[in-house]
Amino acid sequence: MKRSASYGRQRRDMVEKQLRTRGIRDDRVLEAFLEVPRHRFVPEKWIERAYDDGPLPIGHDQTVSQPYMVAAMIEAARVFPGNRVLDIGTGSGYQAALLAAMKAQVFSVERIPELAGQAANRLAGLGYREVRLRVADGTLGWEEYAPFESIIVGAASPRIPEPPLQQLSESGRLVIPLGRDYSQVLHIVTRTGDGYRTDRAERCVFVPLIGKFAWKRKPAAD
């Protein structure tokens, strides 16, 4: 295994070459990516590729997303210290750790118990004990702790799930990829008074969001 200093260099390269050059400008986002050890959130067999410019498998047909896409979603969500942030699709726990590093109050939901357990252990081991995590259908949100200033959905849905939408605070933002396999677009939904404004961002590829208000099962590719 490489020395931690080497991973530090890889994190700096990731931030400079993958994030900053592609337009990520929020210093708090960049600092979080410098702090959080991505190699601690991937299976042992993928550690040498932890800082690659792409997603990596974490088991159960799930992935830890490409660093740039995670950064783009967090930046679009406009996360500030003390904000309540709902992280739908905990996966490896990497995004939850980044949000915690930004001093947000993080509420993370994962539907697969094994992944949730692994993520909880990683987060606790790295000192991110303030992250609240539960096993549940993420499309239901987490009503007990609503409203949320930011909601980030780390999987693709055919539509915007209604419960999380209702759990946004005034001026809160929900960031979600919408579409089918290999044909998705990142959407940013902002709550404005009694309504919502939806902006389309870039194209992306995510695993499907499974739940009551999204896909009932993994969709078949066209």
Side-chain angles (χ1 to χ4, degrees):
M1 186 177 292
K2 295 186 178 181
R3 293 176 293 109
S4 58
S6 176
Y7 288 122
R9 286 193 296 272
Q10 289 190 50
R11 280 200 294 282
R12 289 192 293 275
D13 286 346
M14 174 184 69
V15 167
E16 294 303 320
K17 297 176 181 178
Q18 298 179 36
L19 308 187
R20 200 184 296 276
T21 59
R22 285 182 175 142
I24 302 300
R25 293 289 178 263
D26 190 326
D27 286 337
R28 294 169 303 111
V29 174
L30 298 172
E31 287 166 7
F33 273 81
L34 283 172
E35 173 186 320
V36 178
R38 183 176 165 88
H39 63 278
R40 296 286 296 276
F41 291 88
V42 302
E44 183 75 23
K45 66 183 291 186
W46 298 113
I47 281 182
E48 297 305 316
R49 295 183 56 188
Y51 296 95
D52 283 5
D53 185 16
L56 290 171
I58 57 172
H60 302 275
D61 294 322
Q62 304 299 300
T63 63
V64 55
S65 296
Q66 175 194 32
Y68 166 72
M69 189 53 61
V70 177
M73 293 179 78
I74 294 176
E75 186 171 66
R78 294 186 181 172
V79 176
F80 293 97
N83 280 177
R84 290 180 176 238
V85 181
L86 179 60
D87 171 41
I88 297 178
T90 311
S92 69
Y94 182 57
Q95 182 166 270
L98 291 164
L99 294 166
M102 294 175 68
K103 309 303 181 187
Q105 300 180 61
V106 186
F107 303 84
S108 194
V109 183
E110 172 56 52
R111 70 180 179 86
I112 301 172
E114 293 82 1
L115 289 181
Q118 292 166 12
N121 289 336
R122 289 191 192 100
L123 291 165
L126 290 168
Y128 300 114
R129 300 178 183 276
E130 67 274 23
V131 175
R132 293 179 175 86
L133 195 159
R134 73 168 181 173
V135 177
D137 178 352
T139 71
L140 301 176
W142 199 338
E143 188 173 8
E144 178 184 357
Y145 291 105
F148 300 99
E149 281 80 18
S150 301
I151 299 176
I152 304 175
V153 184
S157 177
R159 65 190 67 83
I160 299 170
E162 187 65 24
L165 197 61
Q166 295 296 326
Q167 293 169 23
L168 273 178
S169 67
E170 173 64 29
S171 300
R173 287 188 158 209
L174 184 152
V175 182
I176 183 171
L178 297 180
R180 298 183 66 86
D181 286 359
Y182 307 109
S183 181
Q184 302 156 12
V185 176
L186 201 62
H187 286 64
I188 304 162
V189 183
T190 306
R191 189 162 196 166
T192 56
D194 294 330
Y196 300 90
R197 186 186 75 245
T198 301
D199 298 301
R200 292 164 61 96
E202 56 202 286
R203 300 200 70 82
C204 54
V205 178
F206 280 82
V207 298
L209 178 66
I210 309 296
K212 181 177 180 180
F213 291 90
W215 300 107
K216 301 300 185 294
R217 64 181 70 86
K218 184 176 180 180
D222 291 332

